Amino acid sequence: MFTKRDLLKMMLPTIIQNILSITLSTADSIMVASAGEAAVSGVSLVGTLDTLLIITFSSLVAGGSVVVSHALGNGDHAFARKCAAQLLYAAAGIALAITVLVSLFRAPLLTLLYGSAEADVLHSANNYLRVIVLSFPLLALYDCGVSLFRVMGNTVIAMILSFVMNIINIAGNAIFIFGCGMGTAGAALATLIARIVGAAVIIFLLHNRKNAVYFEKLYSWRPDFSVIRKILQIGVPHGLESSMFQFGRLVMQVLISSMGTASIAANSVAGTLAGYLYMPSSSIENCAVTVVGRCVGAGEKKQAKKYANMLLLWTYIAMWAVSLILFICMSPIISLYDLSEEGARIALQLTVFHAICTSLIRPPAFVFSSIFKAAGDVWYSLIVSTVSMWVVRVGCAYLLALESFSLGFVTIPGAGLGIFGVWIAMMGDWVVRAVLFTVRYLRGKWLERKALV
């Protein structure tokens, strides 16, 4: 069903898109930092909340893309177009509802979550959230359009449009932050304009009848709950899994914040470099939804496993290549952050440890999860990921990082490894996922699900 050339045409633009996004978002964060520490802190606080809210409609988009891929694999283009329209309106409707609720209760929500923060930080967060929340429906439209093009095997459009949006965002920051002195509100306004452009262009392109999936007569849309139910079969478990992951990250941030400035800074730098390591894996995970989903939809389960094996192998090759480049460049990159001697040393240790472990463990821990979802096998991934997150990553992080911690009336001794213990716990979480997902993959349980179409 796919040649190696087809697969490369899907993956390479996505990898380039991720590189551009990470690089340009780094520039974006530097520009926001020029508005002062309170501005950076305010944007950072809203960022965690922003991600949690976005998960609500992005999980629907993920579920819809699997259903559309099954329909295309089955040759039912009419149903694929019908599903695409339902997906667009459902995701945009939920995003609009979130926008209204957050706009109405913005101040109480920020006070409830971050009431202990300083007044100027809360003021910056409020200014940023007031504008950025308006972009949620636009982001839902954009994510929906990009996922549909990806399912059709076209990732070039997403790459080009992502680059354009990032340039608009950076140019807007220059105008609104430096030129107009608008601070965090200016940063949010630049993002809003970029998302307006992205949503408008992607929806316009999806009206082209030459596409396998296109929109027509969107104004006459009527909800079809049988289709929406199929989308929710994948979207709800995916959303729960993503939400649990974000809550786990939030707990880890609270733990790390108690470890001192050097450790916090080192964790931030190592986390940024980790984003480059994840690029090959995340790109191939997106590709797996299209490839495996269409094979399953066509009833070609042998081909689904063949391509799954190929994608896993390619992930290993790509991640080793990126890790090698990172080993060569990590010291000069870390030196750019002007960390203290201790912070630079910790950041280097974390990056080396993480690069080695990522190259060995991450592919089966995450690629298999995407393959299962593409085949409609979503609950196993949800259960394993949630239990492993809270028991291994969170539980072991406290045991390994702290010298002791209290649970009610009991004080539990820990290993006292500091920030390094947090990263060891994260790798332990990945090992559990990799082992359990590999066992399920080899047993073929994920292929026993019926196609959604």
Side-chain angles (χ1 to χ4, degrees):
M1 294 183 67
F2 299 91
T3 64
K4 290 181 180 179
R5 183 182 178 87
D6 293 332
L7 298 180
L8 288 172
K9 284 173 65 177
M10 279 189 278
M11 286 187 294
L12 290 179
T14 306
I15 293 174
I16 295 172
Q17 176 191 345
N18 288 338
I19 293 173
L20 291 172
S21 295
I22 292 175
T23 304
L24 293 175
S25 66
T26 301
D28 182 47
S29 64
I30 292 173
M31 296 174 79
V32 174
S34 67
E37 289 186 355
V40 176
S41 300
V43 173
S44 177
L45 292 180
V46 174
T48 305
L49 175 62
D50 185 49
T51 303
L52 282 172
L53 294 172
I54 288 173
I55 283 173
T56 307
F57 55 82
S58 64
S59 59
L60 270 182
V61 172
S65 64
V66 172
V67 179
V68 173
S69 69
H70 284 203
L72 291 178
N74 194 35
D76 193 346
H77 288 204
F79 185 81
R81 291 194 294 270
K82 182 178 182 180
C83 178
Q86 297 293 323
L87 173 63
L88 181 76
Y89 275 99
I94 291 176
L96 182 60
I98 292 173
T99 296
V100 172
L101 288 173
V102 174
S103 297
L104 290 174
F105 302 104
R106 183 181 68 254
L109 180 62
L110 289 173
T111 303
L112 175 66
L113 293 174
Y114 310 118
S116 59
E118 296 180 7
D120 55 347
V121 173
L122 270 179
H123 178 71
S124 295
N126 186 61
N127 286 340
Y128 186 77
L129 183 59
R130 179 177 57 194
V131 179
I132 202 69
V133 73
L134 301 176
S135 72
F136 284 0
L138 300 163
L139 183 60
L141 295 176
Y142 173 76
D143 284 348
C144 180
V146 167
S147 69
L148 292 175
F149 272 112
R150 186 182 297 125
V151 166
M152 289 186 279
N154 186 339
T155 55
V156 175
I157 287 176
M159 177 190 71
I160 296 173
L161 196 50
S162 175
F163 176 75
V164 171
M165 289 171 64
N166 276 283
I167 293 298
I168 292 173
N169 193 21
I170 290 177
N173 282 341
I175 295 171
F176 299 129
I177 297 177
F178 300 145
C180 303
M182 295 176 63
T184 54
L189 183 57
T191 302
L192 174 62
I193 293 173
R195 289 177 177 177
I196 290 173
V197 173
V201 172
I202 203 76
I203 297 302
F204 173 78
L205 293 175
L206 278 169
H207 278 80
N208 188 345
R209 289 176 171 267
K210 293 181 180 180
N211 298 323
V213 177
Y214 59 85
F215 293 136
E216 59 180 351
K217 297 180 180 179
L218 285 176
Y219 57 85
S220 61
W221 175 80
R222 296 291 184 276
D224 187 329
F225 292 103
S226 64
V227 176
I228 294 174
R229 186 164 56 249
K230 290 181 182 292
I231 295 173
L232 293 176
Q233 287 179 20
I234 307 295
V236 170
H238 177 76
L240 290 173
E241 181 180 344
S242 299
S243 297
M244 288 298 102
F245 180 76
Q246 292 301 324
F247 278 121
R249 285 185 62 186
L250 185 61
V251 173
M252 290 297 93
Q253 286 177 353
V254 173
L255 174 61
I256 292 169
S257 67
S258 66
M259 295 181 180
T261 303
S263 291
I264 296 171
N267 179 76
S268 176
V269 172
T272 300
L273 294 177
Y276 287 96
L277 284 173
Y278 300 157
M279 285 187 302
S281 178
S282 60
S283 300
I284 294 174
E285 289 160 28
N286 288 331
C287 179
V289 174
T290 299
V291 175
V292 176
R294 289 176 68 167
C295 288
V296 170
E300 294 287 347
K301 295 188 176 182
K302 288 185 178 180
Q303 287 200 58
K305 190 164 187 178
K306 166 193 164 185
Y307 288 120
N309 292 336
M310 185 186 299
L311 293 174
L312 181 67
L313 175 62
W314 285 10
T315 305
Y316 269 113
I317 294 172
M319 296 200 74
W320 276 102
V322 174
S323 296
L324 180 61
I325 296 172
L326 185 62
F327 273 119
I328 296 172
C329 303
M330 65 174 66
S331 292
I333 293 174
I334 290 173
S335 67
L336 294 175
Y337 284 87
D338 196 26
L339 299 176
S340 65
E341 184 177 344
E342 181 186 4
R345 177 183 59 81
I346 296 173
L348 184 62
Q349 290 178 343
L350 292 177
T351 305
V352 171
F353 168 74
H354 185 63
I356 294 172
C357 293
T358 297
S359 301
L360 295 172
I361 305 168
R362 183 178 170 89
F366 289 88
V367 174
F368 281 157
S369 178
S370 292
I371 289 170
F372 296 163
K373 292 169 187 172
D377 183 20
V378 288
W379 287 102
Y380 182 82
S381 177
L382 166 64
I383 294 170
V384 169
S385 299
T386 301
V387 173
S388 181
M389 161 65 76
W390 291 103
V391 175
V392 181
R393 180 178 294 201
V394 176
C396 290
Y398 277 85
L399 286 172
L400 294 173
L402 303 178
E403 293 183 358
S404 65
F405 62 97
S406 178
L407 286 177
F409 299 101
V410 180
T411 299
I412 300 176
L417 298 178
I419 188 64
F420 204 67
V422 174
W423 285 64
I424 293 174
M426 180 170 67
M427 293 303 102
D429 171 30
W430 288 11
V431 168
V432 172
R433 296 184 193 214
V435 170
L436 294 179
F437 288 163
T438 301
V439 170
R440 187 170 185 83
Y441 178 79
L442 294 176
R443 288 181 176 177
K445 291 286 187 181
W446 59 284
L447 283 172
E448 294 178 3
R449 300 283 180 180
K450 293 182 179 180
L452 295 169
V453 179

